[in-house]
């Protein structure tokens, strides 16, 4: 109960050949095994990742492997990036640089897939009451409070007099969006 159920594992690519080109010393199979173990031990764990598209030499087939990996693993969220040259790095001088238009197209496809997965992951929480650590009033609407679950999911709810930054609230989740949950504070009985 002292450790929150969120872990960020930046896989970078769902293609083993690209991982080798990136000089990563792990494989997609390593990630599958570790994520399987984590989900078995902590069923409600929120696992997020980083993905780079358009690394030099990435073919359409290699990108399709990344999409298939993402569809299989079903990360709760992913931070997605276009590969960009950085002077002084080995990748900057690699042949087979992927054209920007191709990278942008791939990124859109990846984000569309991940957004559908993220929405489904958030819909799992609808109807559940969850512990939320309050951050404070929403930046866009002070009548709404914002906080995070033990899985690091953002939750918004109508502010009550009992809300203040740093307190923990029990929130009934009423609806889900791609990047956040909406709910209502559960009134705690005083016996």
């Amino acid at each position: 109960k002292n450790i929150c159920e969120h872990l960020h594992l930046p896989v970078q690519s769902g293609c083993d050949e690209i991982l080798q080109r990136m000089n990563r010393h792990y494989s997609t199979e390593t990630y599958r095994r570790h994520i399987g173990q984590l989900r078995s031990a902590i069923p409600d764990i929120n696992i997020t990742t980083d993905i780079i598209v358009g690394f030099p030499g990435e073919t359409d087939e290699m990108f399709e492997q990344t999409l298939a990996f993402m569809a299989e693993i079903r990360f709760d969220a992913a931070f997605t990036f276009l590969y960009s040259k950085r002077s002084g790095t080995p990748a900057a001088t690699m042949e087979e640089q992927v054209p920007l238009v191709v990278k942008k197209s791939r990124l859109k496809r990846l984000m569309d897939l991940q957004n559908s997965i993220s929405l489904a992951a958030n819909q799992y929480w609808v109807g559940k009451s969850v512990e939320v650590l309050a951050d404070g009033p929403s930046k866009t609407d002070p009548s709404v409070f914002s906080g995070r679950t033990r899985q690091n999911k953002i939750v918004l709810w109508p502010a009550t007099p009992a809300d203040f930054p740093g307190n923990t609230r029990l929130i009934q989740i009423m609806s889900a969006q791609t990047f956040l949950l909406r709910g209502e504070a559960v009134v705690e009985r005083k016996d």
Side-chain angles (χ1 to χ4, degrees):
K1 81 175 194 178
N2 295 329
I3 299 174
C4 287
E5 298 83 7
H6 173 250
L7 191 59
H8 185 73
L9 297 173
V11 69
Q12 308 296 343
S13 176
C15 172
D16 288 330
E17 188 174 337
I18 292 296
L19 291 174
Q20 288 175 354
R21 285 175 175 251
M22 291 178 168
N23 200 26
R24 302 295 192 254
H25 301 286
Y26 54 83
S27 68
T28 55
E29 188 51 42
T30 303
Y31 266 74
R32 281 183 184 91
R33 186 173 62 253
H34 289 316
I35 289 170
Q37 291 169 337
L38 286 163
R39 287 182 171 151
S40 177
I42 310 165
D44 285 339
I45 193 166
N46 173 11
I47 302 175
T48 58
T49 196
D50 294 342
I51 296 287
I52 298 170
V53 299
F55 194 81
E58 182 185 69
T59 64
D60 289 340
E61 181 183 330
M62 292 172 179
F63 175 68
E64 292 296 332
Q65 289 175 31
T66 293
L67 287 179
F69 181 78
M70 298 292 285
E72 173 193 348
I73 299 297
R74 301 189 66 78
F75 292 100
D76 283 73
F79 299 92
T80 56
F81 307 93
L82 293 176
Y83 165 77
S84 60
K85 281 188 182 185
R86 294 216 170 38
S87 62
T89 64
T93 59
M94 288 181 177
E95 294 182 18
E96 304 174 37
Q97 296 288 326
V98 178
L100 181 59
V101 67
V102 173
K103 291 190 282 191
K104 285 183 176 182
S105 172
R106 289 178 184 170
L107 183 64
K108 182 182 180 332
R109 289 183 61 206
L110 181 71
M111 289 173 62
D112 287 347
L113 172 64
Q114 183 56 54
N115 287 345
S116 69
I117 292 168
S118 295
L119 178 59
N122 281 348
Q123 287 171 334
Y124 165 82
W125 296 98
V126 174
K128 295 179 173 33
S129 292
V130 296
E131 182 182 46
V132 176
L133 178 63
D135 292 329
S138 165
K139 292 175 177 69
T140 58
D141 183 354
S143 71
V144 173
F145 237 67
S146 175
R148 292 186 183 259
T149 68
R150 294 181 54 86
Q151 292 78 17
N152 200 31
K153 293 188 177 282
I154 297 170
V155 179
L156 302 177
W157 69 95
T160 71
D163 292 317
F164 58 91
N167 74 335
T168 303
R169 296 299 310 267
L170 191 60
I171 304 294
Q172 172 87 29
I173 303 303
M174 309 303 281
S175 66
Q177 293 173 240
T178 304
F179 303 112
L180 60 87
L181 303 168
R182 291 185 181 272
E184 296 177 3
V186 174
V187 178
E188 298 173 21
R189 292 180 25 189
K190 297 187 181 187
D191 293 332

